[in-house]
Amino acid sequence: MGFVTSERASVGALYWGAFGEKLAAAFRDVETGARVVTAGLRADRMLVARFAGKVVGVCGYYQDGRGTADLSWRHLRGHLSRTASVRAVGVLSLLSRHGRPGVLVLDGICVNEAHRGHGIGSMLLDAAVELARERGDRAVQLSVIDTNPRAAALYRRRGFTTVDRGSLGPLQHLYGFEHYTTMRKKTDA
Ligand SMILES: CC(C)(COP(=O)(O)OP(=O)(O)OC[C@H]1O[C@@H](n2cnc3c(N)ncnc32)[C@H](O)[C@@H]1OP(=O)(O)O)[C@@H](O)C(=O)NCCC(=O)NCCS
């Protein structure tokens, strides 16, 4: 579980590559965003898939109210000016999900482009369900944006069902998507 220090850069590149577009509005430019998010990734909130010794997929999750990336005021201020930190906290607060007792909430699943379609994403989802079982959780939950129907199709095939839908309303232009769907899979299913 997790990644070692020497893997942080590749995990960061993978994570930012998949979710940078959504997070970019919080930062002055993509380089800054990638650097700050990569530095804040928590190895103990991530499942990692490797192939030939290299990281090819990751699946973040929340634990004790904290997600995969440390995007707290303290972390942001360590890398950004006060003004830039205020902006980042404001933009990111809307994207953060909160854990629920008894539910493992996922925080970003992605697979290296060159390795997609070979079952790695499915393996990571199975590992998340297994982790939830070990933790004694009754379900695994994730959110998928409306512009990503292929990912949603994968989740449905893996046994996730829709429990809620949300909308960012007028803020959609800031993040690049409007609606998102929350899906869940029971750990005893
Ligand atoms: C979604 C993702 C994690 C799946 O990983 P994977 O290893 O390709 O998954 P599997 O091989 O187990 O399953 C393949 C299925 O994943 C989905 N998928 C494949 N490529 C995808 C892509 N570029 N974007 C979204 N979903 C994709 C499809 O449902 C695919 O089945 P299909 O080929 O019959 O359409 C991976 O495609 C990815 O990292 N996508 C970009 C980031 C992303 O969209 N993350 C999900 C955020 S909710």
Side-chain angles (χ1 to χ4, degrees):
M1 196 185 296
F3 57 86
V4 296
T5 308
S6 61
E7 292 173 324
R8 178 174 293 279
S10 50
V11 170
L14 184 53
Y15 193 83
W16 182 262
F19 305 112
E21 204 181 333
K22 196 167 78 174
L23 302 172
F27 303 98
R28 186 184 58 192
D29 50 55
V30 290
E31 290 76 22
T32 306
R35 181 170 53 81
V36 174
V37 169
T38 298
L41 290 175
R42 297 182 170 113
D44 60 354
R45 299 286 192 289
M46 215 174 233
L47 297 164
V48 175
R50 294 179 184 80
F51 179 74
K54 293 225 178 334
V55 173
V56 290
V58 297
C59 174
Y61 57 91
Y62 283 83
Q63 187 160 296
D64 303 327
R66 305 198 308 171
T68 307
D70 181 357
L71 297 170
S72 63
W73 174 255
R74 191 189 159 94
H75 174 72
L76 294 167
R77 273 298 280 137
H79 295 265
L80 303 171
S81 70
R82 178 171 290 271
T83 314
S85 300
V86 169
R87 166 188 165 154
V89 160
V91 174
L92 295 167
S93 62
L94 239 144
L95 294 177
S96 91
R97 303 271 167 265
H98 296 287
R100 282 168 180 262
V103 177
L104 177 67
V105 178
L106 302 189
D107 188 19
I109 175 165
C110 53
V111 169
N112 184 297
E113 219 170 334
H115 292 87
R116 286 180 196 161
H118 293 100
I120 295 169
S122 301
M123 253 173 43
L124 284 166
L125 289 170
D126 290 349
V129 173
E130 192 48 43
L131 173 67
R133 266 192 210 115
E134 281 167 20
R135 294 184 358 160
D137 292 329
R138 64 179 187 283
V140 176
Q141 179 176 306
L142 53 78
S143 293
V144 58
I145 60 180
D146 57 346
T147 48
N148 200 352
R150 285 190 73 191
L154 169 66
Y155 304 146
R156 273 193 297 276
R157 284 201 302 275
R158 304 305 298 180
F160 285 77
T161 55
T162 298
V163 291
D164 197 14
R165 284 183 208 280
S167 168
L168 295 178
L171 290 173
Q172 60 179 286
H173 301 296
L174 191 60
Y175 302 98
F177 66 96
E178 182 180 4
H179 297 283
Y180 59 88
T181 299
T182 303
M183 303 179 90
R184 245 184 224 183
K185 177 174 177 165
K186 288 186 181 161
T187 46
D188 60 7

